[in-house]
Amino acid sequence: MWNFVIQWVATLALSYLTAPKPKAPAAAGIGDVQAPTAEVGREIPVLFGTRDLTGPNCCWYGDLRAAAIKKRSGFSKVTVGYNYYLGAHLVLAHGPIDAVTRIRIGDKTAWEGSTAGGQISAAADGLTGAIDVEFGATTQAANGYLQARLGAVPAFRGVLGLVLRQVHLGQAPTLQAISVRARRILVRQYGLAQWYPAKAEIGADMNPAHILRECLTDPVWGMGYPEADID
């Protein structure tokens, strides 16, 4: 009886050892990444008041990392999928602005609060990790993460941007749709204080008189008339 049991156990062990191993799936490469729109020459939106900015222009993505997900199969572990991590630089609007108060990934809130620029920590299905929020001030320095990955890069002054520092995307190499709630009322071109700030805000929006005045005088995206010409 014992000889039979020993023989059965040995046969079972041998069958585990000699059974064909499941083939591990191949990790996605940078060419498989799905990211938001990347378009040269695309118009940069101008933010008035408080709005959700959607459809950012993806200036760069890379620094892809795939971390294997392993599960036990018999006496060994096999790769059944991958967690993906990606770096990216997204531009949303002309800057500087007053504040960013929320970031959403798909239909989920990844971060909420109030920041006047700097690094935040996002956490939601589809995007988890560190994000540099850059307002595009005239004194803004080149981003350290982008420099480390790309070498010499401009400082990207004058635009509101997000730098994703190899954030976790999930188990698919897809950077989902991002929306950013931002506010610009009390700051205008080059970071100058708004004209007549005491009357600039109506609720969470910009006074229409201020909007018209900026459209006439802004030297970057407006008509560029001298401010002295405005009665």
Side-chain angles (χ1 to χ4, degrees):
M1 178 66 180
W2 284 110
N3 287 339
F4 173 78
V5 171
I6 292 170
Q7 185 178 12
W8 177 79
V9 170
T11 302
L12 183 63
L14 183 63
S15 67
Y16 271 118
L17 293 173
T18 58
K21 301 296 187 294
K23 187 176 180 180
I30 193 66
D32 301 310
V33 172
Q34 298 182 48
T37 303
E39 182 181 342
V40 175
R42 180 179 171 187
E43 294 86 353
I44 302 173
V46 177
L47 173 64
F48 296 109
T50 302
R51 296 287 183 271
D52 288 329
L53 300 170
T54 61
N57 205 1
C58 186
C59 298
W60 167 82
Y61 65 85
D63 199 18
L64 178 67
R65 180 168 70 89
I69 302 170
K70 294 183 178 291
K71 288 188 177 180
R72 185 167 295 281
S73 176
F75 293 112
S76 61
K77 290 185 176 181
V78 296
T79 299
V80 296
Y82 295 88
N83 277 306
Y84 290 98
Y85 300 80
L86 187 74
H89 179 212
L90 310 175
V91 167
L92 296 115
H94 279 281
I97 65 168
D98 295 342
V100 165
T101 58
R102 189 179 72 184
I103 296 176
R104 290 175 67 84
I105 180 77
D107 59 354
K108 300 177 180 65
T109 297
W111 175 85
E112 196 163 18
S114 183
T115 180
Q119 191 172 113
I120 62 170
S121 182
D125 291 341
L127 194 154
T128 302
I131 299 177
D132 295 337
V133 182
E134 300 195 323
F135 279 19
T138 56
T139 57
Q140 180 169 289
N143 183 269
Y145 174 78
L146 294 180
Q147 282 185 317
R149 300 306 182 274
L150 301 174
V153 295
F156 295 102
R157 295 167 182 166
V159 292
L160 170 63
L162 300 181
V163 177
L164 281 54
R165 290 176 165 257
Q166 202 183 58
V167 296
H168 178 219
L169 302 181
Q171 296 181 28
T174 301
L175 182 56
Q176 298 182 37
I178 291 178
S179 69
V180 175
R181 179 162 293 176
R183 182 175 67 250
R184 188 184 70 85
I185 298 173
L186 299 176
V187 66
R188 51 183 174 146
Q189 80 272 7
Y190 312 128
L192 297 175
Q194 183 59 270
W195 165 78
Y196 202 174
K199 298 293 184 180
E201 184 172 0
I202 299 177
D205 280 319
M206 187 184 289
N207 187 328
H210 288 67
I211 295 174
L212 292 172
R213 190 177 191 277
E214 283 198 74
C215 289
L216 290 169
T217 62
D218 190 281
V220 178
W221 50 262
M223 299 181 72
Y225 285 110
E227 294 192 19
D229 287 356
I230 306 297
D231 188 338

